[in-house]
Amino acid sequence: MPRRRRRFADLERQFRESGGTAAPGSRLAGYIDFKKGINTIEVTKKLTANERKRYGFAIIPFGTTPEDSTPTRYAAPITAYSNAGRNGLNLTDAKLGYAPITGGTEQSENFYPAVLRIFKKTSDTKTTPISGVTKKKYSRTAGVTFSIPFGRTVTSVKDAKTDATESVLDKVDAEDVRRSLSVFAKTQTGVASISYEPEVFRVGKPDLVSPPGT
C-alpha cells in the first residue's frame, strides 16, 4: 500500500468540519465535486515509461538502532525521473546515504523512507490557470518536482594507528539530515521550494491465533 499523500490536507479538513457541505461556487464546493469524480486534474507533465521506471538504493533507516558498523539497510524506491533530477541537483549517494542494493538488503513493503520533494523552476513567469480540483484560478510557476528518499549517512575515516579506511555511521537523526540536504539543495540553480515526508514503519497484517486452552 502506498504512503498516503496529504496534497489536499486543508481542503480535506474543511470537508470533514463542514460535514461534506459547502457554499456553491466556493473552493470547497469544487473539492467536493473532485471527490465525487466530477472535477478532474489535467496532468500537464506526463512522464514517459522510462521516466516512471522504479529503481532503488539501500539506505539505513532512522527508526532503527544500528546494531554494529554494518547495520541492516532497507531498499528505498526512486523513479528514473527523480534519480536523474537528484543527480542534476548534485545530491550525491553520500549526501543521501545511498548504497547499492545487495542480497542482504531488506525489502519491506511496510517501510516508507524519509522523502524530500524538491520543486525546481523552469521559468520565472507566473501564470494563473484554473485548478482542476477547485475550478478557481491559482498562481503557478512552471517547474518540475523530484521525490528523493534519504537515510542515515556514513563517513569514511582513517584509523590513526593502522591507516586503514573504515566507515563510521554519522550520529545524526532525520531532522539533521533533512536540514543539511535542504540547505544544500537551495544553493542549486532553480530550486524554489522543498517539502518533506517523514520516515514511516507500518505494522504488517497480523496472522493471529488464539492462545492455548481457549
Side-chain angles (χ1 to χ4, degrees), residues 17-209:
E17 292 177 351
S18 71
T21 61
S26 66
R27 292 180 72 252
L28 181 56
Y31 178 64
I32 291 173
D33 282 345
F34 169 70
K35 288 175 71 73
K36 293 178 179 178
I38 299 172
N39 293 346
T40 58
I41 298 175
E42 181 180 353
V43 179
T44 55
K45 168 62 177 174
K46 295 182 180 180
L47 301 184
T48 66
N50 283 337
E51 288 174 326
R52 290 196 304 270
K53 189 169 182 179
R54 280 161 54 97
Y55 294 97
F57 291 98
I59 66 170
I60 303 170
F62 297 100
T64 61
T65 301
E67 59 274 19
D68 52 34
S69 60
T70 56
T72 300
R73 288 180 175 266
Y74 282 66
I78 187 171
T79 62
Y81 176 75
S82 287
N83 191 45
R86 67 101 180 178
N87 284 322
L89 295 172
N90 298 305
L91 291 170
T92 63
D93 291 359
K95 284 185 172 66
L96 295 165
Y98 289 178
I101 290 178
T102 67
T105 303
E106 185 74 24
Q107 303 261 4
S108 173
E109 63 181 11
N110 293 313
F111 169 64
Y112 300 83
V115 173
L116 285 184
R117 302 198 191 279
I118 301 178
F119 176 72
K120 180 181 178 181
K121 295 188 296 182
T122 55
S123 170
D124 288 324
T125 302
K126 289 186 179 293
T127 58
T128 54
I130 301 295
S131 168
V133 176
T134 65
K135 296 304 179 183
K136 299 293 183 182
K137 286 185 177 181
Y138 68 99
S139 178
R140 179 180 182 274
T141 300
V144 292
T145 300
F146 306 115
S147 297
I148 305 170
F150 65 93
R152 291 182 184 268
T153 51
V154 174
T155 300
S156 293
V157 298
K158 282 191 174 183
D159 186 287
K161 294 182 179 179
T162 65
D163 204 36
T165 300
E166 61 180 11
S167 297
V168 176
L169 193 66
D170 295 332
K171 294 181 179 179
V172 292
D173 60 20
E175 180 59 19
D176 292 326
V177 181
R178 182 204 67 79
R179 187 183 300 112
S180 175
L181 290 172
S182 296
V183 168
F184 176 81
K186 287 177 181 177
T187 68
Q188 303 302 293
T189 302
V191 172
S193 65
I194 301 172
S195 61
Y196 164 66
E197 287 197 36
E199 177 182 285
V200 175
F201 272 97
R202 286 183 177 164
V203 177
K205 183 179 179 181
D207 184 17
L208 302 178
V209 297

